[in-house]
Amino acid sequence: MWKDKVRGKVEELFEKAGIQFEGNSEWDIHVKDDRLFGKILSDGSLGLGEAYMNGWFECERFDETVYRLFNNGIEKAAKAWGNIFLYLQAIAINQQSKSRAFVIGERHYDLGNDLFELMLDKEMVYSCAYWKNAKSLDQAQEDKMDLICRKLELQPGMRILDIGCGWGGLARHAAKHYGTEVTGISVSKEQLQLASEKSKGLKIDYQFKDYRDVNEKFDAVVSVGQMEHVGYKNYKIYMETIFRSLRDKGLVLLHTIGSNTSDKVCDPWISKYIFPNSHLPSAAQITKAGENLFVLEDLHNFGPDYDKTLMAWYNNFEKNWAKIQKKYGERFYRMWRFYLLSCAGAFRSRRIQLWQFVFSKGAREEVYQAVR
């Protein structure tokens, strides 16, 4: 009787989003283990993700399932008590403190370069691509990197700081096409090793360090996919670090996933399995952190492009999975599929965004010309 009530409650919630259990639509859910319903009701999104990892359900187009759940606000009705613990933990502990700065590198970015080489574009750019004029992932990522360089008004001989440089794709683009000298910092040893191999002969210096340890001056600063790992307790420190690292009248570009609301916690499943100690900033939190430091010159939102990017990564991952499946195993496969597809659905629903902020330091006389 109790199990029937639990199932009925979950079915009622999902039906509001047009999702059925054992239905015929590609976004409908096919149950393999009835424990699924209790898991969803007790643990919310964390339970849904863990149930998928356990093989308790299948779905042909899970990206569409998540899109419909978000689009109908069902995730609010299914919030779990466990989220309250995460909220209290986020308030009490600086989860992105300097002592914890290298956790994300060890647990996510150091998973294995083979995985990311098979999933990403040829330059291994692990952030939202720019699809305005592109037909392929390679072109969309190249266009994004060039967009950033043009927004920063790069010129030959300029010194650039790339915070969270990844595998060096942007640093190489700036060095090759704009004649700049780049210092790239990362908390991932695996990323830096491969970035160094790919960047031989270029004026790029890769350093294994936390952003708080930067003590040089640069003509421009770029931060792509780093703000998501800074944490709301450290946003002011992050902006102050950039401020002291930037020469007067220089430009800063922040490329970040963003939330529509100023929350203090991230999705519990994403935090536990994909990006530990992560947090999505709101536009208000970012601009507040920049007060009395910078002038906001431009804000560009192309969040829907992340949906396309994630689906391109997903297709590459599926196509190449057989090459790495022995190393990573079935549970990782299901975890990674859930990650890519659920994030694609979230961007499709516009619950999360992709922003590029351009800030300037000091009294810039000329009007900043926004680039698109």
Side-chain angles (χ1 to χ4, degrees), residues 82-138:
N83 290 357
I84 296 177
F85 170 75
L86 292 175
Y87 177 81
L88 294 174
Q89 187 182 51
I91 293 175
I93 302 171
N94 184 351
Q95 298 184 78
Q96 300 83 14
S97 65
K98 193 171 178 180
S99 64
R100 295 168 177 253
F102 296 88
V103 172
I104 183 63
E106 295 167 358
R107 287 185 50 189
H108 186 85
Y109 297 107
D110 289 347
L111 278 170
N113 287 332
D114 52 355
L115 166 67
F116 294 105
E117 282 180 302
L118 293 173
M119 186 180 82
L120 305 177
D121 65 296
K122 63 182 180 181
E123 286 295 337
M124 296 183 69
V125 180
Y126 193 24
S127 56
C128 181
Y130 190 52
W131 293 88
K132 182 179 180 181
N133 299 309
K135 302 296 184 184
S136 68
L137 180 62
D138 284 347

Side-chain angles (χ1 to χ4, degrees), residues 6 17 48 59 101 152 154 182 241 253 268 292 298 307 318 334 367:
V6 170
L48 185 66
C59 182
L152 286 171
L154 298 189
V182 184
T241 299
L253 186 141
N292 300 317
D298 187 38
D307 178 11
E318 285 286 334
R334 297 184 69 86
V367 175

Side-chain angles (χ1 to χ4, degrees), residues 79 164 251 266:
K79 289 260 185 181
L251 294 175
C266 190

Side-chain angles (χ1 to χ4, degrees), residues 50-187:
E50 290 182 336
Y52 185 76
M53 290 168 63
N54 293 339
W56 291 359
F57 74 91
E58 297 293 348
C59 182
E60 185 179 347
R61 286 289 306 276
F62 191 68
D63 53 309
E64 281 292 295
T65 307
V66 172
Y67 161 70
R68 281 164 170 74
L69 288 172
F70 273 113
N71 213 34
N72 288 274
I74 304 304
E75 85 288 350
K76 294 178 181 178
K79 289 260 185 181
W81 280 104
N83 290 357
I84 296 177
F85 170 75
L86 292 175
Y87 177 81
L88 294 174
Q89 187 182 51
I91 293 175
I93 302 171
N94 184 351
Q95 298 184 78
Q96 300 83 14
S97 65
K98 193 171 178 180
S99 64
R100 295 168 177 253
F102 296 88
V103 172
I104 183 63
E106 295 167 358
R107 287 185 50 189
H108 186 85
Y109 297 107
D110 289 347
L111 278 170
N113 287 332
D114 52 355
L115 166 67
F116 294 105
E117 282 180 302
L118 293 173
M119 186 180 82
L120 305 177
D121 65 296
K122 63 182 180 181
E123 286 295 337
M124 296 183 69
V125 180
Y126 193 24
S127 56
C128 181
Y130 190 52
W131 293 88
K132 182 179 180 181
N133 299 309
K135 302 296 184 184
S136 68
L137 180 62
D138 284 347
Q139 187 62 54
Q141 290 292 17
E142 185 173 346
D143 288 353
K144 186 269 297 295
M145 292 187 288
D146 204 66
L147 179 72
I148 290 172
C149 293
R150 288 184 288 127
K151 284 184 176 183
L152 286 171
E153 300 177 350
L154 298 189
Q155 299 294 327
M158 290 177 68
R159 293 192 69 228
I160 314 302
L161 174 63
D162 183 355
I163 305 176
C165 61
W167 289 276
L170 177 59
R172 288 190 294 276
H173 189 90
K176 288 178 181 178
H177 301 287
Y178 289 84
T180 63
E181 299 180 17
V182 184
T183 295
I185 66 171
S186 172
V187 294

Side-chain angles (χ1 to χ4, degrees), residues 187-201:
V187 294
S188 167
K189 293 179 180 179
E190 291 289 324
Q191 283 186 331
L192 291 181
Q193 180 180 348
L194 187 55
S196 297
E197 293 174 8
K198 288 175 168 285
S199 305
K200 291 178 180 177

Side-chain angles (χ1 to χ4, degrees), residues 241-269:
T241 299
I242 293 173
F243 182 84
R244 75 164 188 265
S245 303
L246 186 66
R247 294 194 174 99
D248 288 343
K249 300 187 181 181
L251 294 175
V252 181
L253 186 141
L254 297 181
H255 172 116
T256 182
I257 300 171
S259 172
N260 293 338
T261 57
S262 298
D263 297 320
K264 290 182 170 62
V265 295
C266 190
D267 176 83
W269 186 86

